[in-house]
Amino acid sequence: MVTLKYGRAEATVISGELTAYKVDDHEYIHQKGSPGWRNSDTEMFPIIGPTADAGYQVQTPRDVAIQDQHGLLREMKYDLVSHTAVKALFIKRYIANTRIANSKYPDKSSKEMLFWPYDFAFSKRYQLTDEGLEIGFHIAAPRDSPFMLGYHPAFKLHSDNPVVVANKKTITLDEILAVGSRAYQVANCEKIILKDVGELQIRTEGFGHFMLWTEVPNMLCIEPITFYPYAVPQTNLHEGFQFTKEAPVEFKVILSTTPN
């Protein structure tokens, strides 16, 4: 467990997962064990979305990959690289075609092992600053490696009528609940404000879109994504790929209680 502190803010990270973010003792992160979801945050990589209807197969330029919902990164463990009082860096490394055990097998999936045809190193950095909590992602992979990226944090809801403001539109919790497991799409958006008890601003760099998901009234997942997976059939998920360049790819999410 790593605890970061800066001014009035404190963040707790366990094995790379953000399990708490408090400002003036107000908790913004969904707590593990509470109704709604068993996690508090995770990543969706190298694909976003379900794959069961496609036989868990995802076409890549190199070969067909076997992937369960939201990819195999979440099945791997983070290594702590370094940390200070305000910053922590974690990494996951993968060698192409390595078989990774699927935690959904056999109860929720027919695939016992998952694999991806490309090497990658995936870094996740937390840092408390004057702006708030910055979460950075760094993807190092061979040039032209395909990928999608989604960050999947869950926020604790404290009031009866929280709303989300995105692209000058107000979205109610009932509207998000009505969409169900597909998740509510917020396209072409880099900033969302969660209005609950106080306000939390979620700003992003590199993602371009969001989707919103919950099935309970006590939490809300506000997920920056590079691609909304329900825009295409599961057999065509490859249409949502981006491709790495020569330099590593970087993305950023900033949680701020003081909107700019």
Side-chain angles (χ1 to χ4, degrees), residues 49-92:
T51 57
D53 289 349
Y56 302 96
Q57 298 185 39
V58 178
Q59 183 64 57
T60 78
R62 183 174 291 179
D63 200 354
V64 171
I66 301 300
Q67 298 284 292
D68 212 313
Q69 180 160 325
H70 298 326
L72 56 65
L73 185 75
R74 58 181 57 194
E75 302 291 2
M76 301 165 59
K77 292 184 178 180
Y78 274 112
D79 291 323
L80 176 62
V81 177
S82 62
H83 75 91
T84 66
V86 298
K87 182 166 61 174
L89 177 64
F90 298 83
I91 194 167
K92 295 181 180 182

Short mmCIF file of all heavy atoms in Angstrom, two decimals, residues 49-92:
data_model
loop_
_atom_site.label_atom_id
_atom_site.label_comp_id
_atom_site.label_asym_id
_atom_site.label_seq_id
_atom_site.Cartn_x
_atom_site.Cartn_y
_atom_site.Cartn_z
N GLY A 49 -14.34 -3.21 -24.35
CA GLY A 49 -15.61 -3.77 -24.74
C GLY A 49 -15.68 -5.29 -24.64
O GLY A 49 -14.67 -5.97 -24.43
N PRO A 50 -16.88 -5.84 -24.81
CA PRO A 50 -17.10 -7.28 -24.72
C PRO A 50 -16.65 -8.01 -25.99
O PRO A 50 -16.61 -7.43 -27.06
CB PRO A 50 -18.61 -7.40 -24.53
CG PRO A 50 -19.16 -6.20 -25.24
CD PRO A 50 -18.14 -5.10 -25.04
N THR A 51 -16.34 -9.28 -25.83
CA THR A 51 -15.85 -10.08 -26.96
C THR A 51 -16.54 -11.43 -27.09
O THR A 51 -16.24 -12.18 -28.01
CB THR A 51 -14.33 -10.32 -26.82
OG1 THR A 51 -14.08 -10.96 -25.55
CG2 THR A 51 -13.55 -9.02 -26.88
N ALA A 52 -17.46 -11.74 -26.17
CA ALA A 52 -18.07 -13.08 -26.16
C ALA A 52 -18.77 -13.41 -27.46
O ALA A 52 -18.66 -14.54 -27.98
CB ALA A 52 -19.04 -13.19 -24.99
N ASP A 53 -19.49 -12.44 -28.03
CA ASP A 53 -20.22 -12.69 -29.27
C ASP A 53 -19.31 -12.91 -30.46
O ASP A 53 -19.76 -13.40 -31.51
CB ASP A 53 -21.18 -11.54 -29.57
CG ASP A 53 -22.36 -11.50 -28.61
OD1 ASP A 53 -22.55 -12.49 -27.86
OD2 ASP A 53 -23.09 -10.49 -28.59
N ALA A 54 -18.04 -12.56 -30.31
CA ALA A 54 -17.06 -12.80 -31.38
C ALA A 54 -16.18 -14.01 -31.07
O ALA A 54 -15.11 -14.18 -31.67
CB ALA A 54 -16.19 -11.56 -31.56
N GLY A 55 -16.63 -14.85 -30.14
CA GLY A 55 -15.83 -16.02 -29.77
C GLY A 55 -14.55 -15.65 -29.06
O GLY A 55 -13.58 -16.40 -29.08
N TYR A 56 -14.54 -14.47 -28.44
CA TYR A 56 -13.38 -13.92 -27.71
C TYR A 56 -12.18 -13.67 -28.63
O TYR A 56 -11.05 -13.54 -28.16
CB TYR A 56 -12.98 -14.86 -26.55
CG TYR A 56 -14.10 -15.08 -25.57
CD1 TYR A 56 -14.93 -16.19 -25.66
CD2 TYR A 56 -14.36 -14.15 -24.58
CE1 TYR A 56 -15.98 -16.38 -24.78
CE2 TYR A 56 -15.42 -14.33 -23.69
CZ TYR A 56 -16.22 -15.45 -23.80
OH TYR A 56 -17.26 -15.63 -22.93
N GLN A 57 -12.43 -13.56 -29.91
CA GLN A 57 -11.36 -13.31 -30.87
C GLN A 57 -11.38 -11.85 -31.33
O GLN A 57 -12.44 -11.30 -31.65
CB GLN A 57 -11.51 -14.22 -32.08
CG GLN A 57 -11.41 -15.69 -31.76
CD GLN A 57 -11.43 -16.57 -32.99
OE1 GLN A 57 -10.85 -16.22 -34.02
NE2 GLN A 57 -12.09 -17.71 -32.91
N VAL A 58 -10.21 -11.25 -31.37
CA VAL A 58 -10.04 -9.89 -31.85
C VAL A 58 -8.98 -9.90 -32.94
O VAL A 58 -7.86 -10.36 -32.71
CB VAL A 58 -9.64 -8.92 -30.72
CG1 VAL A 58 -9.43 -7.52 -31.26
CG2 VAL A 58 -10.68 -8.93 -29.61
N GLN A 59 -9.33 -9.39 -34.11
CA GLN A 59 -8.39 -9.38 -35.23
C GLN A 59 -7.38 -8.25 -35.06
O GLN A 59 -7.75 -7.11 -34.81
CB GLN A 59 -9.13 -9.21 -36.55
CG GLN A 59 -8.24 -9.25 -37.77
CD GLN A 59 -7.58 -10.62 -37.95
OE1 GLN A 59 -8.28 -11.63 -38.03
NE2 GLN A 59 -6.25 -10.64 -38.03
N THR A 60 -6.10 -8.57 -35.19
CA THR A 60 -5.05 -7.55 -35.23
C THR A 60 -4.28 -7.71 -36.54
O THR A 60 -4.39 -8.74 -37.21
CB THR A 60 -4.07 -7.70 -34.05
OG1 THR A 60 -3.15 -8.78 -34.31
CG2 THR A 60 -4.80 -7.95 -32.74
N PRO A 61 -3.49 -6.71 -36.93
CA PRO A 61 -2.71 -6.85 -38.18
C PRO A 61 -1.75 -8.03 -38.15
O PRO A 61 -1.44 -8.60 -39.20
CB PRO A 61 -1.94 -5.52 -38.24
CG PRO A 61 -2.81 -4.55 -37.51
CD PRO A 61 -3.40 -5.34 -36.38
N ARG A 62 -1.32 -8.42 -36.97
CA ARG A 62 -0.34 -9.50 -36.87
C ARG A 62 -0.99 -10.87 -36.79
O ARG A 62 -0.51 -11.84 -37.39
CB ARG A 62 0.57 -9.27 -35.66
CG ARG A 62 1.68 -10.28 -35.50
CD ARG A 62 2.63 -9.89 -34.38
NE ARG A 62 3.41 -8.70 -34.73
CZ ARG A 62 4.30 -8.14 -33.90
NH1 ARG A 62 4.49 -8.64 -32.69
NH2 ARG A 62 4.97 -7.08 -34.29
N ASP A 63 -2.08 -10.98 -36.02
CA ASP A 63 -2.71 -12.28 -35.79
C ASP A 63 -4.01 -12.05 -35.03
O ASP A 63 -4.29 -10.95 -34.56
CB ASP A 63 -1.77 -13.17 -34.97
CG ASP A 63 -2.11 -14.66 -35.10
OD1 ASP A 63 -3.13 -14.98 -35.73
OD2 ASP A 63 -1.36 -15.48 -34.55
N VAL A 64 -4.80 -13.13 -34.90
CA VAL A 64 -5.99 -13.08 -34.05
C VAL A 64 -5.56 -13.21 -32.60
O VAL A 64 -4.74 -14.07 -32.26
CB VAL A 64 -6.98 -14.20 -34.42
CG1 VAL A 64 -8.11 -14.28 -33.40
CG2 VAL A 64 -7.55 -13.96 -35.81
N ALA A 65 -6.09 -12.34 -31.74
CA ALA A 65 -5.81 -12.39 -30.31
C ALA A 65 -7.03 -12.95 -29.57
O ALA A 65 -8.16 -12.78 -30.03
CB ALA A 65 -5.49 -11.00 -29.78
N ILE A 66 -6.78 -13.60 -28.46
CA ILE A 66 -7.86 -14.07 -27.59
C ILE A 66 -7.94 -13.11 -26.41
O ILE A 66 -7.00 -13.01 -25.60
CB ILE A 66 -7.62 -15.50 -27.10
CG1 ILE A 66 -7.50 -16.46 -28.30
CG2 ILE A 66 -8.74 -15.95 -26.17
CD1 ILE A 66 -8.73 -16.51 -29.18
N GLN A 67 -9.07 -12.39 -26.34
CA GLN A 67 -9.27 -11.37 -25.32
C GLN A 67 -10.66 -11.50 -24.71
O GLN A 67 -11.64 -11.71 -25.42
CB GLN A 67 -9.16 -9.97 -25.93
CG GLN A 67 -7.80 -9.65 -26.52
CD GLN A 67 -6.78 -9.36 -25.46
OE1 GLN A 67 -6.84 -8.37 -24.76
NE2 GLN A 67 -5.82 -10.27 -25.32
N ASP A 68 -10.74 -11.36 -23.39
CA ASP A 68 -12.04 -11.28 -22.75
C ASP A 68 -12.40 -9.80 -22.61
O ASP A 68 -11.67 -8.93 -23.10
CB ASP A 68 -12.04 -11.99 -21.39
CG ASP A 68 -13.40 -12.60 -21.07
OD1 ASP A 68 -14.42 -11.90 -21.24
OD2 ASP A 68 -13.46 -13.77 -20.66
N GLN A 69 -13.53 -9.52 -21.97
CA GLN A 69 -14.02 -8.15 -21.92
C GLN A 69 -12.97 -7.19 -21.38
O GLN A 69 -12.37 -7.43 -20.34
CB GLN A 69 -15.28 -8.07 -21.04
CG GLN A 69 -15.85 -6.67 -20.94
CD GLN A 69 -17.30 -6.66 -20.51
OE1 GLN A 69 -18.05 -7.55 -20.86
NE2 GLN A 69 -17.68 -5.66 -19.75
N HIS A 70 -12.75 -6.10 -22.10
CA HIS A 70 -11.86 -5.01 -21.73
C HIS A 70 -10.38 -5.39 -21.71
O HIS A 70 -9.55 -4.64 -21.18
CB HIS A 70 -12.25 -4.41 -20.38
CG HIS A 70 -13.63 -3.80 -20.36
ND1 HIS A 70 -14.16 -3.16 -21.45
CD2 HIS A 70 -14.56 -3.73 -19.37
CE1 HIS A 70 -15.38 -2.72 -21.14
NE2 HIS A 70 -15.65 -3.05 -19.90
N GLY A 71 -10.01 -6.53 -22.29
CA GLY A 71 -8.59 -6.83 -22.46
C GLY A 71 -7.95 -7.59 -21.32
O GLY A 71 -8.58 -7.89 -20.31
N LEU A 72 -6.65 -7.88 -21.49
CA LEU A 72 -5.95 -8.74 -20.53
C LEU A 72 -5.10 -7.97 -19.52
O LEU A 72 -4.59 -8.57 -18.57
CB LEU A 72 -5.08 -9.77 -21.26
CG LEU A 72 -4.01 -9.34 -22.27
CD1 LEU A 72 -2.88 -8.56 -21.68
CD2 LEU A 72 -3.48 -10.59 -22.97
N LEU A 73 -4.94 -6.66 -19.68
CA LEU A 73 -4.07 -5.93 -18.75
C LEU A 73 -4.52 -6.09 -17.32
O LEU A 73 -3.71 -6.23 -16.40
CB LEU A 73 -4.04 -4.44 -19.12
CG LEU A 73 -3.07 -3.59 -18.30
CD1 LEU A 73 -1.63 -3.85 -18.75
CD2 LEU A 73 -3.39 -2.11 -18.40
N ARG A 74 -5.84 -6.09 -17.09
CA ARG A 74 -6.36 -6.18 -15.73
C ARG A 74 -6.07 -7.53 -15.08
O ARG A 74 -6.21 -7.66 -13.85
CB ARG A 74 -7.87 -5.92 -15.73
CG ARG A 74 -8.67 -6.86 -16.60
CD ARG A 74 -10.15 -6.54 -16.57
NE ARG A 74 -10.42 -5.17 -16.97
CZ ARG A 74 -11.59 -4.55 -16.78
NH1 ARG A 74 -12.57 -5.18 -16.19
NH2 ARG A 74 -11.75 -3.32 -17.18
N GLU A 75 -5.68 -8.53 -15.87
CA GLU A 75 -5.33 -9.83 -15.31
C GLU A 75 -3.88 -9.89 -14.84
O GLU A 75 -3.46 -10.87 -14.23
CB GLU A 75 -5.57 -10.93 -16.34
CG GLU A 75 -6.99 -11.02 -16.87
CD GLU A 75 -7.99 -11.51 -15.84
OE1 GLU A 75 -7.60 -11.75 -14.67
OE2 GLU A 75 -9.18 -11.65 -16.19
N MET A 76 -3.12 -8.84 -15.12
CA MET A 76 -1.72 -8.79 -14.74
C MET A 76 -1.51 -7.95 -13.48
O MET A 76 -2.35 -7.11 -13.15
CB MET A 76 -0.90 -8.20 -15.90
CG MET A 76 -1.02 -8.97 -17.20
SD MET A 76 -0.42 -8.04 -18.65
CE MET A 76 1.28 -7.72 -18.17
N LYS A 77 -0.42 -8.17 -12.79
CA LYS A 77 -0.13 -7.44 -11.56
C LYS A 77 0.86 -6.31 -11.82
O LYS A 77 1.81 -6.46 -12.59
CB LYS A 77 0.45 -8.39 -10.50
CG LYS A 77 -0.56 -9.41 -9.99
CD LYS A 77 0.05 -10.25 -8.87
CE LYS A 77 -0.97 -11.25 -8.33
NZ LYS A 77 -0.41 -12.08 -7.24
N TYR A 78 0.62 -5.18 -11.16
CA TYR A 78 1.55 -4.06 -11.24
C TYR A 78 2.76 -4.30 -10.34
O TYR A 78 2.63 -4.85 -9.24
CB TYR A 78 0.87 -2.78 -10.78
CG TYR A 78 0.10 -2.04 -11.85
CD1 TYR A 78 -1.29 -1.96 -11.78
CD2 TYR A 78 0.74 -1.42 -12.91
CE1 TYR A 78 -2.01 -1.27 -12.74
CE2 TYR A 78 0.03 -0.74 -13.89
CZ TYR A 78 -1.35 -0.67 -13.79
OH TYR A 78 -2.05 0.00 -14.75
N ASP A 79 3.91 -3.85 -10.80
CA ASP A 79 5.11 -3.75 -9.96
C ASP A 79 5.31 -2.29 -9.59
O ASP A 79 5.18 -1.40 -10.45
CB ASP A 79 6.34 -4.26 -10.70
CG ASP A 79 6.31 -5.76 -10.93
OD1 ASP A 79 5.83 -6.49 -10.04
OD2 ASP A 79 6.76 -6.20 -12.01
N LEU A 80 5.61 -2.03 -8.34
CA LEU A 80 5.91 -0.67 -7.89
C LEU A 80 7.35 -0.33 -8.30
O LEU A 80 8.29 -1.02 -7.92
CB LEU A 80 5.75 -0.56 -6.38
CG LEU A 80 6.12 0.78 -5.74
CD1 LEU A 80 5.24 1.91 -6.26
CD2 LEU A 80 6.03 0.69 -4.22
N VAL A 81 7.50 0.73 -9.09
CA VAL A 81 8.82 1.15 -9.55
C VAL A 81 9.45 2.12 -8.56
O VAL A 81 10.62 1.98 -8.19
CB VAL A 81 8.72 1.81 -10.95
CG1 VAL A 81 10.08 2.32 -11.41
CG2 VAL A 81 8.15 0.82 -11.96
N SER A 82 8.68 3.12 -8.13
CA SER A 82 9.20 4.12 -7.21
C SER A 82 8.05 4.88 -6.58
O SER A 82 6.93 4.89 -7.11
CB SER A 82 10.14 5.10 -7.93
OG SER A 82 9.41 5.81 -8.93
N HIS A 83 8.32 5.54 -5.44
CA HIS A 83 7.31 6.43 -4.88
C HIS A 83 7.97 7.42 -3.92
O HIS A 83 9.03 7.17 -3.33
CB HIS A 83 6.19 5.66 -4.18
CG HIS A 83 6.55 5.09 -2.84
ND1 HIS A 83 6.37 5.78 -1.66
CD2 HIS A 83 7.06 3.90 -2.49
CE1 HIS A 83 6.75 5.03 -0.65
NE2 HIS A 83 7.19 3.89 -1.12
N THR A 84 7.32 8.58 -3.81
CA THR A 84 7.70 9.61 -2.86
C THR A 84 6.45 9.96 -2.06
O THR A 84 5.43 9.26 -2.15
CB THR A 84 8.23 10.86 -3.58
OG1 THR A 84 7.16 11.46 -4.33
CG2 THR A 84 9.36 10.52 -4.54
N ALA A 85 6.49 11.05 -1.33
CA ALA A 85 5.34 11.46 -0.54
C ALA A 85 4.17 11.87 -1.41
O ALA A 85 3.00 11.80 -0.99
CB ALA A 85 5.71 12.61 0.39
N VAL A 86 4.44 12.30 -2.67
CA VAL A 86 3.37 12.82 -3.52
C VAL A 86 3.23 12.08 -4.85
O VAL A 86 2.33 12.37 -5.62
CB VAL A 86 3.59 14.32 -3.83
CG1 VAL A 86 3.55 15.14 -2.55
CG2 VAL A 86 4.90 14.54 -4.58
N LYS A 87 4.10 11.10 -5.13
CA LYS A 87 4.09 10.47 -6.45
C LYS A 87 4.41 8.98 -6.33
O LYS A 87 5.24 8.57 -5.51
CB LYS A 87 5.09 11.16 -7.37
CG LYS A 87 5.14 10.62 -8.78
CD LYS A 87 5.88 11.56 -9.72
CE LYS A 87 7.32 11.78 -9.33
NZ LYS A 87 8.04 12.59 -10.35
N ALA A 88 3.75 8.16 -7.16
CA ALA A 88 4.03 6.73 -7.21
C ALA A 88 3.95 6.25 -8.67
O ALA A 88 3.06 6.68 -9.41
CB ALA A 88 3.06 5.95 -6.34
N LEU A 89 4.87 5.38 -9.04
CA LEU A 89 4.93 4.86 -10.40
C LEU A 89 4.85 3.33 -10.37
O LEU A 89 5.60 2.68 -9.63
CB LEU A 89 6.23 5.29 -11.08
CG LEU A 89 6.48 4.76 -12.50
CD1 LEU A 89 5.42 5.28 -13.47
CD2 LEU A 89 7.88 5.13 -12.98
N PHE A 90 3.94 2.78 -11.20
CA PHE A 90 3.75 1.33 -11.30
C PHE A 90 3.90 0.92 -12.76
O PHE A 90 3.70 1.72 -13.67
CB PHE A 90 2.36 0.94 -10.82
CG PHE A 90 2.08 1.24 -9.38
CD1 PHE A 90 1.68 2.51 -9.00
CD2 PHE A 90 2.24 0.27 -8.41
CE1 PHE A 90 1.42 2.80 -7.66
CE2 PHE A 90 1.99 0.55 -7.07
CZ PHE A 90 1.58 1.82 -6.70
N ILE A 91 4.24 -0.37 -12.97
CA ILE A 91 4.41 -0.85 -14.34
C ILE A 91 3.96 -2.30 -14.48
O ILE A 91 4.05 -3.09 -13.53
CB ILE A 91 5.90 -0.70 -14.79
CG1 ILE A 91 6.02 -0.86 -16.31
CG2 ILE A 91 6.79 -1.68 -14.05
CD1 ILE A 91 7.38 -0.44 -16.85
N LYS A 92 3.46 -2.62 -15.68
CA LYS A 92 3.19 -3.99 -16.09
C LYS A 92 3.92 -4.22 -17.40
O LYS A 92 3.87 -3.38 -18.31
CB LYS A 92 1.69 -4.22 -16.30
CG LYS A 92 0.85 -4.10 -15.05
CD LYS A 92 -0.62 -4.38 -15.33
CE LYS A 92 -1.47 -4.26 -14.07
NZ LYS A 92 -2.91 -4.59 -14.31
#
